[in-house]
Amino acid sequence: MIARWQQPDSAISSNASPKNTEKMTVFLEDLLAQDYRHSDRDLLDRICFLIDVQRRLQDRYTDQRLIARAADGDVVVSARTLRAVTTWLLDRIEADRDIKAVNTFLKLADGHLRDAPSPASATEVEWVKSLVASIGLPQLADSGGLLNVVDASRRVRDGGTDQRTPSVNQAVAMRNWNSVVVAWNKSPVAAAYLSVLQNRGLEPARLIRAVPVIPLKRRVRRRIGSSARSLLRLFGSGDRTVSSRVRPEIFRRMPAELPESSAQAFRNRSARVEVKTGNINDERLVAEIADCRPERILFTGGGIVRPQTFERAGGNWLHMHPGRLPGVRGADGFFWSVLLHGYPSVSAIYQDPGIDTGEVLIEKHFERPEMDVDRIAKLGSHRHAIVYRTILGLFDPWMRALTLDALLDEEQMPGKPIRQSSTGAEGVEPRGRAYHFMHPLLRARAIDVLVEHSS
């Protein structure tokens, strides 16, 4: 352990060791203290999951997998164990400069855990922040194979330049695509996918528009908040840069604008269905999918698909994951990819019950967006939030759609059959890592390096 990261014994002397209370199989503090465990990435990933996702730690677990029992839901972790976890994470950061450990430490220091105070000292937090400030982009050995999102998205918007039927003639050229598209209301990803299908003259067997039901109280709060922001802007006392919409002008070169009503371009009105739900596992939604007996379901969002949903709906669930698999699984894939590889990627997979663990069908790698440095600088303190929202609302959807386009291109090659979903051995986790949502400080650094490399 590193002395400068230890708290005085008096800081924890009032917390009795959990070993004296009840005999359990594994104590987390003991597990972390084992020297051979310091280089165990599986243990680090499990600790990150417990903190980032479950937001709960315990003093003791039934085995080394650190899986909590349902009966332990109200157990509060001791200050002694929290301190051990904090010091162990700092050791991993110093030894390996592991960026995932950095992300988890920042959340732990912010009090991300339920019912537990921040266990980190100000000195420790400042040291980790200094590491974040030093993060840059990895050197690219060769960028020749990267796809330019701006040029490619405009080709799709304009009808393409290959053998496809021009968009002006698509009204008579549409052909059936034996797949279901679940298009979430106002989803930019769904709009980009539908643009690709329209450009190719492909009409899904069923287009399900999922409209989330927003509770009355939340609608009222949104309306009040929107009115308050409008008044502040009207009287000049608010930041005029704050907005819930994307800001394509932050790009030096803008990708094609996403259409708001792509669904109207498809002729078969009887194939359009609307389901009021905000959950991909909704019984009515699953029944609509199963009724079509589709070859594939094009996934555009709606949460994590449960195993029983896969079974009931049938078909192959096609997903465009923003990240090179299996290396970058999980959330905020665009930004993790940029920091880890220097460029964003998308992998087309057939989903299975794991988190981005399905078979990779095709992957595409993209040039970083060209940012307008001067315009972004004028956005002030809200620049990171606006850039984040705009990348996810415009650049990321087009990356996914262009990967879908490439997959459909590949399947049109002579003798190239549509691959079916395949599931590996039960319980076998593929190589790679699952990353979680970025801490705001790390996300801000990822955005800053994107902007710096655009100047």
Side-chain angles (χ1 to χ4, degrees), residues 201-215:
L202 297 176
E203 181 150 10
R206 184 157 300 176
L207 178 57
I208 302 175
R209 181 168 173 258
V211 182
V213 179
I214 303 174

Side-chain angles (χ1 to χ4, degrees), residues 406-424:
L407 178 64
L408 296 173
D409 252 346
E410 184 181 271
E411 292 178 348
Q412 283 189 346
M413 295 179 183
K416 194 81 172 181
I418 294 178
R419 280 178 282 187
Q420 300 297 306
S421 173
S422 61
T423 304

